[in-house]
């Protein structure tokens, strides 16, 4: 296999980079962007940028404004309610399903991520919290081996990420959701219902903050 074929294709790399920017609030809700501006920012060709925009628009992470401009949609109260309704239906179930499959290595990874989240909260490190919190949840959800539910959860997080970044910046890290220790304890005890309760509590805490 040559070096070129072993690399991520450009269109996928550009999609991943733009998705990361949206997910972790590097692009703010309502902030207008142009295709040309993104092309310059990402150092990419026009075609992969257009493809990334097309995919992210289909996922609800971007919307067209006209005149070749796009933005991250502002989250209305009704949209917020729908996102959290779906999260509360899906993510506790993913946590419950993970109990049967979780490995010792995954538990160690989750414990380390929980420590990183705690450190970020104590230090007021919003970026560290957002990244660690995301990795904790999706390390857990990956263990569920339920790709349909996992992909839906990923889409919901993508739509919520920019607004969560704004709220976190406004209120700081001390009130951010963190029910990870209860989830870890339940995982170690093979208590699926306990994991589901911890994830539900974590989501509800986040909903309270967002509202």
């Amino acid at each position: 296999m040559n070096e070129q074929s072993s690399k991520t294709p450009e269109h996928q790399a550009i999609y991943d980079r733009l998705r990361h920017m949206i997910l972790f609030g590097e692009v703010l809700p309502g902030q207008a962007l142009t295709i040309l501006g993104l092309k310059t920012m990402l150092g990419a060709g026009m075609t992969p940028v257009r493809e990334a925009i097309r995919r992210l628009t289909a996922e609800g992470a971007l919307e067209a404004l006209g005149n070749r401009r796009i933005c991250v949609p502002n989250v209305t109260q009704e949209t917020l309610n729908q996102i959290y309704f779906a999260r509360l239906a899906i993510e506790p179930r993913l946590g419950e399903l993970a109990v049967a499959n979780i490995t010792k290595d995954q538990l160690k990874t989750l414990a380390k991520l929980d420590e990183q989240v705690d450190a970020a909260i104590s230090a007021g490190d919003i970026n560290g919290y957002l990244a660690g919190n995301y990795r904790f949840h999706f390390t857990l959800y990956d263990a569920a081996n339920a790709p349909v539910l996992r992909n839906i959860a990923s889409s919901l997080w993508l739509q919520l990420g920019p607004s969560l970044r704004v709220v976190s910046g406004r209120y700081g890290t001390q009130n951010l959701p963190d029910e990870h220790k209860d989830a870890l304890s339940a995982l170690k005890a093979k208590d699926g219902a306990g994991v589901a309760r911890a994830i539900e509590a974590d989501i509800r805490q986040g909903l309270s903050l967002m509202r």
Side-chain angles (χ1 to χ4, degrees):
M1 180 180 293
N2 60 40
E3 181 181 355
Q4 182 61 37
S5 63
S6 67
K7 292 180 178 178
T8 301
E10 183 185 15
H11 68 88
Q12 183 64 42
I14 296 305
Y15 167 82
D16 290 342
R17 173 61 183 139
L18 185 54
R19 187 182 189 282
H20 183 277
M21 290 169 61
I22 296 168
L23 179 62
F24 296 111
E26 294 179 37
V27 182
L28 299 177
Q31 177 184 345
L33 301 166
T34 65
I35 297 173
L36 184 59
L38 284 173
K39 176 180 178 294
T40 301
M41 183 188 305
L42 298 169
M46 190 68 78
T47 299
V49 170
R50 288 183 184 276
E51 175 63 14
I53 290 171
R54 184 195 65 77
R55 290 174 63 182
L56 289 163
T57 300
E59 292 180 62
L62 292 172
E63 67 179 5
L65 297 176
N67 295 324
R68 297 186 178 182
R69 295 184 307 149
I70 53 172
C71 76
V72 171
N74 286 298
V75 176
T76 65
Q77 186 66 54
E78 178 57 31
T79 299
L80 184 70
N81 289 341
Q82 291 182 43
I83 289 172
Y84 272 94
F85 177 86
R87 288 192 64 194
L88 285 165
I90 291 168
E91 293 179 45
R93 178 58 176 161
L94 282 166
E96 186 175 22
L97 288 171
V99 170
N101 306 311
I102 200 80
T103 66
K104 290 182 179 179
D105 285 343
Q106 287 171 322
L107 280 172
K108 288 179 181 178
T109 298
L110 288 169
K112 289 179 181 178
L113 289 169
D114 181 46
E115 291 174 359
Q116 292 174 18
V117 169
D118 289 344
I121 289 174
S122 296
D125 177 5
I126 293 169
N127 291 334
Y129 167 83
L130 292 173
N133 186 56
Y134 177 85
R135 288 182 62 200
F136 182 95
H137 279 265
F138 281 88
T139 297
L140 175 63
Y141 301 160
D142 285 342
N145 289 336
V148 172
L149 296 181
R150 194 268 188 205
N151 289 341
I152 295 172
S154 179
S155 176
L156 295 170
W157 277 63
L158 183 61
Q159 294 177 63
L160 194 63
S163 295
L164 180 58
R165 179 64 180 80
V166 171
V167 171
S168 300
R170 184 175 300 168
Y171 295 107
T173 57
Q174 294 306 310
N175 294 317
L176 291 173
D178 181 17
E179 301 293 333
H180 298 167
K181 286 180 174 51
D182 286 347
L184 278 170
S185 295
L187 280 167
K188 292 173 183 176
K190 299 294 185 181
D191 177 7
V195 177
R197 285 193 299 270
I199 296 301
E200 179 177 344
D202 191 89
I203 294 170
R204 290 192 182 281
Q205 188 178 348
L207 174 58
S208 177
L209 180 68
M210 291 290 288
R211 281 178 171 165

